[in-house]
Amino acid sequence: MNKQVTAIRGATGCANKSEEVIKNVCDLFNQIVKANQLTTEDIISIQFTVTKDINVMNPAAALRKGNPCIDVTPVALFCMQEPEIINSPEFMIRIMITTYMDSSIAKTNVYINGAEKLRPDYCKK
């Protein structure tokens, strides 16, 4: 197996409620992990960004509090606010996972819960 460093991206729409942040962050993370066949040992770091209207919980804390499908305890997590851009979608959480990934597996980025509008090119069915 030949692994290479890869960045996998995704996003989810989310209400500004703690339970929604936990649920949506974990759903997004779990879909990315399963689609890309990742393990804890594969993941180098995870970066989150949030729009300014999500301020009840940090997505990194939400991932640790939620029910991720793999252990994220040893993984470096980081979160920051998205820049304010005119006409940008509101209530969005974005993720970028830097990982070692088998080069024979096609990378799958995941956009859910209204975030599909951010990258329709990834969401075509």
Side-chain angles (χ1 to χ4, degrees):
M1 184 178 341
N2 183 22
K3 290 194 174 188
Q4 61 188 23
V5 175
T6 302
I8 302 168
R9 298 180 352 191
T12 183
C14 188
N16 191 32
K17 298 178 181 176
S18 295
E19 62 277 1
E20 288 293 314
V21 174
I22 292 169
K23 178 189 179 306
N24 290 3
V25 165
C26 287
D27 286 350
L28 175 63
F29 177 76
N30 291 344
Q31 285 187 40
I32 290 171
V33 166
K34 290 174 184 173
N36 293 285
Q37 303 174 27
L38 301 177
T39 67
T40 300
E41 294 76 24
D42 293 329
I43 299 174
I44 298 167
S45 65
I46 302 172
Q47 296 178 356
F48 294 96
T49 63
V50 295
T51 52
K52 69 177 182 170
D53 38 35
I54 298 178
N55 58 16
V56 295
M57 178 176 278
N58 179 317
L63 183 61
R64 293 206 194 277
K65 287 183 180 187
N67 191 22
C69 61
I70 61 173
D71 182 20
V72 295
T73 305
V75 177
L77 306 178
F78 185 77
C79 184
M80 61 187 166
Q81 185 176 331
E82 280 282 324
E84 291 185 45
I85 306 296
I86 296 170
N87 298 322
S88 288
E90 298 176 324
F91 298 101
M92 290 288 154
I93 298 173
R94 292 172 175 85
I95 188 171
M96 184 169 69
I97 301 174
T98 305
T99 184
Y100 294 104
M101 192 168 150
D102 184 339
S103 59
S104 68
I105 298 172
K107 177 175 70 172
T108 302
N109 298 296
V110 177
Y111 291 79
I112 58 174
N113 300 325
E116 298 87 348
K117 62 189 166 196
L118 297 171
R119 288 306 302 260
D121 51 327
Y122 289 148
C123 301
K124 293 177 184 172
K125 300 267 180 188

